[in-house]
């Protein structure tokens, strides 16, 4: 589920890049992504599973927190890449796996499973190579950008933890539906509809924006949320680094962006880490 979500994120990210190059702002793309994601989930549940439209009122605060965490991840990441090299912003985001591993070890007062200890350096090391952090001018980084980069990791952790916290009482489809609604409302408070550029409302733009909402929000976030309940946030955060590999391959095929030898080697490390992370520990436990 996580690997499939990573591929969908890669496809939607590449499509979003093309829309932005055509004059649609990143904020507008994000708003429509949340809006169409909610609309597609709502339509799908109305047809197939109307029972999932019911949200238990006692769970409303947690679902609201989940939706705000989703909105915060996207906002903080957008602010981080506006002030930092993309390499640094990505590494800060995916450092969430390391923070979750450390937190689990402290909370459970025991050594993490061997698969986690092996997969963590593989995935983070692969991310470092793939984003080319070695070429970044680390001594000239924007302090505010660094704050937003760390906030992205914190928001991502909060998103995963909130997703697991509402798991048993609220199905994944319901959580994703109302989380997307909360995130959409939050974004439209930042940029009201009347401030959106007029070109975004044209059919030639609305169609790809709708597809990004379905394939880049509704489907992958529902998959990730379901996976969190089976694997726990630590494993999912490490498996999520496969998104960089998927995005790189898609960008090569779609946009002709070639990879260096080190980036290919980094991709191999990430794939290896994903494979190791997917294994259960000898006693059959996972990091739930």
């Amino acid at each position: 589920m996580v690997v499939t979500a990573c591929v969908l994120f890669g496809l939607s990210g590449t499509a979003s890049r093309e829309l932005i190059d055509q004059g649609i702002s990143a904020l507008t793309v994000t708003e429509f992504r949340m809006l169409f994601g909610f609309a597609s989930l709502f339509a799908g549940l109305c047809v197939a599973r109307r029972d999932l439209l019911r949200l238990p009122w006692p769970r409303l605060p947690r679902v609201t927190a989940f939706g705000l965490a989703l909105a915060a991840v996207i906002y903080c990441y957008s602010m981080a890449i506006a002030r930092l090299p993309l390499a640094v912003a990505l590494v800060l985001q995916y450092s969430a796996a390391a923070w979750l591993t450390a937190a689990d070890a402290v909370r459970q007062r025991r050594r993490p499973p061997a698969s986690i200890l092996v997969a963590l350096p593989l995935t983070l090391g692969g991310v470092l190579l793939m984003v080319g952090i070695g070429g970044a001018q680390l001594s000239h980084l924007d302090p505010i950008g660094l704050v937003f980069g760390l906030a992205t990791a914190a928001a991502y952790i909060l998103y995963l933890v909130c997703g697991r916290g509402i798991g048993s009482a609220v199905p994944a489809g319901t959580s994703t539906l109302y989380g997307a609604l909360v995130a959409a409302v939050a974004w439209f408070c930042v940029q009201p509809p009347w401030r959106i550029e007029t070109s975004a409302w044209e059919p030639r733009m609305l169609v790809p924006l709708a597809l990004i909402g379905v394939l880049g929000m509704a489907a992958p976030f529902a998959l990730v949320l379901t996976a969190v309940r089976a694997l726990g946030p630590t494993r999912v955060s490490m498996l999520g680094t496969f998104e960089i590999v998927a995005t790189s391959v898609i960008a090569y095929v779609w946009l002709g962006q070639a990879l260096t030898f080190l980036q290919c080697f980094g991709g191999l490390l990430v794939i290896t880490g994903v494979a190791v992370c997917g294994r259960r520990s000898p006693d059959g436990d996972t990091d739930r």
Side-chain angles (χ1 to χ4, degrees), residues 76 80 84 92 142-152:
C76 292
L84 293 175
L92 289 173
D142 188 319
I144 298 178
L146 286 174
V147 171
F148 276 110
L150 292 173
T152 304

Side-chain angles (χ1 to χ4, degrees), residues 118-130 241-242 245 262-276:
V118 173
L120 183 61
L122 286 173
T123 53
L124 291 182
V127 168
L128 288 171
L129 290 176
M130 288 205 70
T241 59
F242 186 74
V245 178
L262 283 179
Q263 286 175 316
C264 292
F265 182 67
L268 180 61
L269 289 180
V270 172
I271 293 173
T272 304
V274 167
V276 172

Side-chain angles (χ1 to χ4, degrees), residues 79-261:
M79 292 298 295
I81 63 176
R83 294 176 173 269
L84 293 175
L86 179 60
V88 179
L90 282 172
V91 169
L92 289 173
Q93 176 181 345
Y94 286 113
S95 68
W99 296 113
L100 280 169
T101 300
D104 282 345
V106 172
R107 178 173 54 86
Q108 299 174 4
R109 296 184 179 180
R110 63 182 177 89
R111 184 177 64 85
S115 59
I116 295 290
L117 295 176
V118 173
L120 183 61
L122 286 173
T123 53
L124 291 182
V127 168
L128 288 171
L129 290 176
M130 288 205 70
V131 300
I133 196 171
Q137 298 180 358
L138 301 180
S139 59
H140 302 289
L141 296 179
D142 188 319
I144 298 178
L146 286 174
V147 171
F148 276 110
L150 292 173
T152 304
Y156 185 53
I157 291 173
L158 180 62
Y159 161 75
L160 293 175
V161 172
C162 287
R164 180 175 62 175
I166 60 179
S168 59
V170 184
T174 307
S175 303
T176 308
L177 173 70
Y178 291 104
L181 176 61
V182 171
V185 171
W187 274 112
F188 277 103
C189 287
V190 175
Q191 178 177 268
W194 56 85
R195 295 182 58 185
I196 295 175
E197 53 267 45
T198 55
S199 59
W201 301 103
E202 299 175 1
R204 65 184 181 88
M205 293 297 184
L206 273 179
V207 172
L209 284 170
L211 290 175
I212 290 172
V214 176
L215 300 179
M217 190 279 145
F221 277 110
L223 288 170
V224 169
L225 187 56
T226 304
V228 165
R229 298 169 184 186
L231 300 176
T234 303
R235 287 184 187 271
V236 169
S237 65
M238 282 190 289
L239 288 166
T241 59
F242 186 74
E243 181 183 344
I244 294 183
V245 178
T247 301
S248 299
V249 173
I250 292 169
Y252 173 73
V253 175
W254 192 336
L255 304 177
Q257 296 180 355
L259 301 176
T260 66
F261 173 77

